């Protein structure tokens, strides 16, 4: 018998898809647009098409969605955001792809690229940053890494899903300019540059329309403007509030998940909708085509020996988890160079606080991970200290005291389905910090959490603070490594830490967060540092901030031109030197300020960055090439991106508030 073209893996994807589609009955096409159960689509046995499977989530393969097995527990996304390192993001994506394959799934439900609009969003830890540019750079790298293993990334949650309160119904009332400049860029980059094979539609409504039946998002932007060739899957149960299958199918929602339970894509009803003309055959075919394309892209019909092999829980992946933690932890404060501690000299350390011995992997909602091992801070310290340093409980008289505070994944903290209840740390933790520092001035606070926390009650009294985030399975090893100087921290905050919640732009009133039936994004584009820097509000720690055990000098800023013409670019170069005594890495950040604009623009916007690793005394020339996009804003009256002629400042620095060099360029 002749081989059917769709099974021939030497043919191109589109030929195979069309061949397979042409062989399918209406029933069969409809059957693959919904789950068979929670995680997989039904097989089409007649054609030898197996089930196609999905699994959570953004920082490792979730046990709940792939047979309760163990997998590598990578640091959570905010930690990845703090690395500012697309290379690590790509390597991580590849490892995640291989773990997904080893779990018998074809889609990993991540990355999560919703903007960190408020510190109180329960899922801030699952998202990367408050900045659209950093978000896009990391998202593209993760998507490319995952898909290099022929596993589909699934960029979520499209769009404006920036809170958990009433997530199944709330309407994010957001301006077109804010969508274009803040909330959509990472989705767009993941599709146009990363060629993401799938996108997850959000639970919430966007300007009144549910993500799952939002033609404007799913068809006009995603398909028509961005050229998306993949499939859109509903967030789990997100079709619930929609007006039904026809509306979702016509809007561009391909796959409804999960299956069975009260779903809208009921075979009989979808077929009736097609036969009755509510959904055209062309629309249905297009959805089936998109599912088949994903199946063929991910090797569902191929000889496993010719598909990138799956592997999970291997030392190489654990090593990547460790690397992300090493580059993702952020040294927020280090007065008098209290850190690093000298293991040969300190004698003893007091270890205190609720997060010293706590594991976090198995919590966190859909992004939970069943880790093969998870090194707690205490375990990491015990190993590092060995017999050289004794670990005690009483801070008084100890060589230093380390207090592990922060949050956890319990409801009301960093958790899915509910937003945080309190911006400051629990009062008991604040008291523990204050008592400890009163007993021992050499107190270091280590924060283990996934979103900004208030520190005003204690920050001025404490000399050193390390933001460790949820650092994955090797968190404790890395924390101990930083505290004792084996690891030089190089993370930078991907999000601003307001002093108090009222300073946060999303928290102007209850209508702006969490809202009721609607939540009003009245701050518009002024999210994160765009707000703090433009409105002159001082955050506790600014976007891009992070210290090192070495120091970096910035010099010799040059532009290759002072005038940029239509279609032109400007390249800024500068020299960065490690002026200290330890090897270290610096994230060199390049912002643009529009000096004269016809609309209100942020004080500055991140447009490029580079992470450079330097030996003591070593210098590196860093360059940033800026094209028209770097100077543009979204003009609502014209309905287009516009780069206005005039002066712009190119600012280069170590954080959004530590600008070291600048130069002026004119857009002709
Ligand atoms: C979450 C998604 C997740 C899905 C499947 C939903 O509740 O919002 O992020 O991928 O469940 O577990």
């Amino acid at each position: 018998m002749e081989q059917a073209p769709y099974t021939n893996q030497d043919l191109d994807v589109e030929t195979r898809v069309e061949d397979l589609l042409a062989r399918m009955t209406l029933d069969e096409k409809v059957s693959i647009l919904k789950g068979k159960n929670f995680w997989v689509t039904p097989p089409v046995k007649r054609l030898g098409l197996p089930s196609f499977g999905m699994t959570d989530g953004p920082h490792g393969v979730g046990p709940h969605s792939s047979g309760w097995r163990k997998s590598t527990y990578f640091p959570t996304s905010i930690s990845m955001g703090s690395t500012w390192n697309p290379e690590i993001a790509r390597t991580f994506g590849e490892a995640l792809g291989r773990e997904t394959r080893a779990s018998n799934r074809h889609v990993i439900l991540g990355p999560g690229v919703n903007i960190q609009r408020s510190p109180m969003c329960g899922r801030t830890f699952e998202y990367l940053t408050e900045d659209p540019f950093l978000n896009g750079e990391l998202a593209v790298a993760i998507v490319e890494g995952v898909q290099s293993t022929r596993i589909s990334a699934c960029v979520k949650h499209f769009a404006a899903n920036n809170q958990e309160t009433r997530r199944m119904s709330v309407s994010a009332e957001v301006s077109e300019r804010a969508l274009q400049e803040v909330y959509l860029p990472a989705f767009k980059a993941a599709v146009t540059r990363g060629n993401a094979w799938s996108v997850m539609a959000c639970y919430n409504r966007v300007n009144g329309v549910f993500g799952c039946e939002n033609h404007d998002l799913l068809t006009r932007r995603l398909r028509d403007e961005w050229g998306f060739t993949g499939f859109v899957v509903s967030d789990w149960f997100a079709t619930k509030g929609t007006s039904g299958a026809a509306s979702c199918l016509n809007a561009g929602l391909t796959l409804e998940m999960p299956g069975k339970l009260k779903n809208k894509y009921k075979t009989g009803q979808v077929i009736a909708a097609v036969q009755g003309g509510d959904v055209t055959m062309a629309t249905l075919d297009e959805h089936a085509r998109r599912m088949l394309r994903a199946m063929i892209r991910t090797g569902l019909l191929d000889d496993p020996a010719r598909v990138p092999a799956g592997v999970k829980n291997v030392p190489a992946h654990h090593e990547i988890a460790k690397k992300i933690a090493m580059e993702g932890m952020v040294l927020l404060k280090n007065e008098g160079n209290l850190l690093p501690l000298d293991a040969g000299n300190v004698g003893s350390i007091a270890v205190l606080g609720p997060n010293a011995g706590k594991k976090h992997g198995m919590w966190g909602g859909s992004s939970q991970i069943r880790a093969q091992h998870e090194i707690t801070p205490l375990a990491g310290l015990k190993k590092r200290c060995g017999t050289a340093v004794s670990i005690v409980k009483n801070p008084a008289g100890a060589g230093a005291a380390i207090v592990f505070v922060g949050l956890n994944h319990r409801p009301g903290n960093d958790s899915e389905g509910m937003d945080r209840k309190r911006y400051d740390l629990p009062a008991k933790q604040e008291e523990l910090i204050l008592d400890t520092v009163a007993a021992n001035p050499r107190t270091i606070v280590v924060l283990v959490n996934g979103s900004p926390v208030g520190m005003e009650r204690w920050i001025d009294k404490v000399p050193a603070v390390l933001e460790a985030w949820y650092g994955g399975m090797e968190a404790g090893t890395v924390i101990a490594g930083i505290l004792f100087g084996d690891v030089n921290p190089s993370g930078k905050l991907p999000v601003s830490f307001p002093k108090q919640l009222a300073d946060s732009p999303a928290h102007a009133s209850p209508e702006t967060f969490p809202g009721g039936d609607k939540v009003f994004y009245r701050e518009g584009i002024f999210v994160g540092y765009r707000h703090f820097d433009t409105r002159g509000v001082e955050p506790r720690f600014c976007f891009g901030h992070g210290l090192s055990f070495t120091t970096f000098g910035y010099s010799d800023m040059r532009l290759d031109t002072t005038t940029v013409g239509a279609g032109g670019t400007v390249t800024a170069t500068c020299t960065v030197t490690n002026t200290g005594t330890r090897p270290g890495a610096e994230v060199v950040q390049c912002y643009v300020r529009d000096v004269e604009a016809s609309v209100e623009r942020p004080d500055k916007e991140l447009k490029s960055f580079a992470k450079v690793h330097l030996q003591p005394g070593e210098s590196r020339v860093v360059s940033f090439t800026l094209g028209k996009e770097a100077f543009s804003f979204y003009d609502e009256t014209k309905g287009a991106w516009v780069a206005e002629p005039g002066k712009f400042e190119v600012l280069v620095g170590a954080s959004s508030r530590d600008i070291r060099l600048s130069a002026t360029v004119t857009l002709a």
Side-chain angles (χ1 to χ4, degrees):
M1 214 176 72
E2 220 180 290
Q3 185 188 14
Y6 72 89
T7 63
N8 181 351
Q9 58 196 102
D10 294 321
L11 294 178
D12 67 278
V13 173
E14 295 310 310
T15 306
R16 298 175 70 188
V17 168
E18 292 310 320
D19 178 63
L20 181 50
L21 185 65
R23 293 167 194 264
M24 291 176 87
T25 64
L26 179 56
D27 270 58
E28 287 166 347
K29 290 174 188 169
V30 172
S31 75
I32 59 168
L33 304 183
K34 59 175 191 279
K36 170 184 160 200
N37 56 30
F38 240 79
W39 306 109
V40 307
T41 65
V44 181
K45 293 207 178 104
R46 186 180 70 86
L47 295 164
L49 188 66
S51 282
F52 176 75
M54 288 144 268
T55 183
D56 280 310
H59 51 262
V61 174
H64 56 284
S65 37
S66 61
W68 293 100
R69 281 184 302 242
K70 292 176 177 169
S71 58
T72 300
Y73 173 26
F74 297 95
T76 61
S77 302
I78 195 164
S79 183
M80 172 63 76
S82 308
T83 68
W84 293 60
N85 190 336
E87 268 324 299
I88 291 192
R90 191 176 312 269
T91 316
F92 154 72
E94 250 176 74
L96 192 56
R98 290 189 188 280
E99 299 232 345
T100 304
R101 175 81 59 196
S103 311
N104 249 321
R105 296 287 189 256
H106 309 94
V107 181
I108 181 81
L109 302 173
V113 303
N114 295 105
I115 286 286
Q116 293 165 342
R117 174 175 179 252
S118 158
M120 303 306 276
C121 171
R123 299 184 85 174
T124 295
F125 73 101
E126 284 188 75
Y127 303 140
L128 294 158
T129 169
E130 70 184 20
D131 179 76
F133 180 79
L134 178 59
N135 207 16
E137 294 304 293
L138 295 172
V140 168
I142 295 169
V143 168
E144 286 179 348
V146 168
Q147 294 187 173
S148 71
T149 67
R150 292 187 66 188
I151 290 295
S152 174
C154 183
V155 191
K156 67 190 190 183
H157 310 86
F158 191 53
N161 181 179
N162 307 101
Q163 65 183 55
E164 293 299 285
T165 307
R166 276 184 287 272
R167 67 173 179 172
M168 303 292 285
S169 62
V170 71
S171 176
E173 299 290 309
V174 51
S175 72
E176 180 61 20
R177 185 173 175 201
L179 283 173
Q180 294 274 356
E181 291 190 24
V182 179
Y183 296 99
L184 299 183
F187 288 104
K188 183 176 178 183
V191 169
T192 58
R193 290 165 52 204
N195 186 26
W197 293 343
S198 72
V199 163
M200 186 187 292
C202 61
Y203 282 127
N204 53 289
R205 292 177 290 150
V206 181
N207 292 324
V209 183
F210 279 107
C212 288
E213 56 181 344
N214 199 312
H215 187 271
D216 177 68
L217 285 173
L218 306 187
T219 296
R220 185 174 76 81
R221 297 179 204 253
L222 192 57
R223 285 191 193 178
D224 299 348
E225 287 182 13
W226 305 346
F228 178 61
T229 58
F231 70 93
V232 178
V233 58
S234 68
D235 198 344
W236 270 231
F237 302 107
T239 51
K240 188 162 174 251
T242 66
S243 36
S247 167
C248 294
L249 288 163
N250 287 332
L253 181 80
T254 293
L255 177 63
E256 183 193 45
M257 287 301 285
K260 293 264 159 69
L261 297 143
K262 296 189 187 158
N263 59 331
K264 301 264 178 185
Y265 284 17
K266 291 194 174 50
T267 310
Q269 284 171 20
V270 173
I271 290 174
V274 173
Q275 284 164 349
D278 288 341
V279 175
T280 66
M281 197 58 219
T283 297
L284 193 85
D285 273 349
E286 182 55 23
H287 283 303
R289 178 179 290 119
R290 284 169 183 266
M291 281 315 297
L292 298 178
R293 188 180 286 135
M295 291 169 176
I296 289 175
R297 279 171 160 169
T298 55
L300 191 65
L301 285 163
D302 294 351
D303 171 5
R306 286 178 62 185
V307 174
V311 343
K312 70 193 300 196
N313 255 327
V314 287
H317 291 182
H318 298 173
E319 215 27 62
I320 294 167
K322 190 167 160 190
K323 190 96 198 292
I324 300 166
M326 283 164 68
E327 291 209 17
M329 293 188 189
V330 187
L331 182 61
L332 294 175
K333 182 173 179 182
N334 193 18
E335 235 168 53
N337 292 328
L338 173 55
L339 291 174
L341 300 172
D342 180 350
N345 238 330
V346 71
S348 64
I349 55 170
V351 176
L352 303 105
N355 269 332
K358 201 174 183 67
K359 296 185 179 181
H360 300 277
M362 267 305 274
W363 309 97
S366 61
S367 68
Q368 64 172 218
I369 306 294
R370 194 166 162 227
Q372 196 171 53
H373 65 255
E374 180 178 344
I375 316 282
T376 64
L378 183 59
L381 280 170
K382 279 189 178 154
K383 181 143 190 244
R384 177 60 179 83
C385 291
T387 51
V389 180
S390 49
I391 297 180
V392 299
K393 289 224 163 91
N394 187 355
I402 308 166
V403 196
F404 289 92
V405 291
L407 304 172
N408 53 49
H409 292 306
R410 276 202 305 269
N413 288 270
D414 293 314
S415 72
E416 182 177 339
M418 191 190 275
D419 288 320
R420 280 176 53 196
K421 289 217 163 101
R422 180 184 157 97
Y423 179 54
D424 293 338
L425 294 177
K428 258 175 110 170
Q429 294 191 19
E430 297 187 320
E431 274 138 36
L432 176 68
I433 296 171
L434 292 170
D435 290 348
T436 307
V437 73
N440 188 331
R442 290 167 55 85
T443 290
I444 300 135
V445 168
V446 179
L447 291 163
V448 176
N449 53 308
S451 47
V453 292
M455 308 179 197
E456 295 317 288
R457 224 180 128 191
W458 51 268
I459 188 68
D460 288 336
K461 303 196 173 73
V462 172
V465 182
L466 175 69
E467 176 53 85
W469 307 120
Y470 300 112
M473 64 199 303
E474 292 289 338
T477 315
V478 177
I479 290 171
I482 291 177
L483 295 177
F484 285 101
D486 318 324
V487 175
N488 190 353
S490 64
K492 299 268 190 174
L493 290 181
V495 61
S496 310
F497 276 50
K499 287 186 176 168
Q500 49 193 357
L501 202 54
D503 293 343
S504 167
H507 291 270
S509 81
E511 292 188 333
T512 59
F513 192 97
D517 187 37
K518 297 178 175 180
V519 53
F520 295 91
Y521 288 28
R522 290 211 180 101
E523 72 283 4
I525 60 163
F526 295 97
V527 174
Y529 69 92
R530 285 164 164 73
H531 159 81
F532 290 100
D533 293 359
T534 312
R535 310 279 185 241
V537 180
E538 203 189 320
R540 170 48 57 195
F541 292 108
C542 72
F543 176 80
H545 170 75
L547 305 172
S548 167
F549 295 149
T550 188
T551 49
F552 297 97
Y554 286 64
S555 60
D556 291 331
M557 169 118 170
R558 264 167 238 197
L559 301 183
D560 67 344
T561 177
T562 52
T563 314
V564 184
T569 60
V570 55
T571 298
T573 53
C574 70
T575 303
V576 179
T577 306
N578 182 343
T579 50
T581 53
R582 286 167 184 267
E586 173 71 326
V587 176
V588 188
Q589 302 162 39
C590 178
Y591 297 85
V592 168
R593 171 181 294 149
D594 192 347
V595 180
E596 30 191 301
S598 64
V599 296
E600 194 185 16
R601 296 202 62 182
D603 173 66
K604 63 176 91 65
E605 295 175 35
L606 183 75
K607 294 299 171 187
S608 197
F609 60 88
K611 190 161 192 172
V612 285
H613 292 77
L614 297 170
Q615 294 300 314
E618 189 186 350
S619 291
R620 184 87 49 85
V621 175
V622 180
S623 70
F624 304 108
T625 296
L626 307 172
K628 191 175 148 197
E629 333 71 70
F631 303 101
S632 305
F633 64 89
Y634 187 80
D635 186 335
E636 288 194 331
T637 59
K638 295 202 175 82
W641 283 86
V642 172
E644 280 181 350
K647 280 195 169 44
F648 291 83
E649 281 173 42
V650 179
L651 312 166
V652 173
S655 83
S656 59
R657 288 184 167 231
D658 184 7
I659 300 300
R660 306 286 184 87
L661 302 165
S662 71
T664 303
V665 64
T666 303
L667 217 64

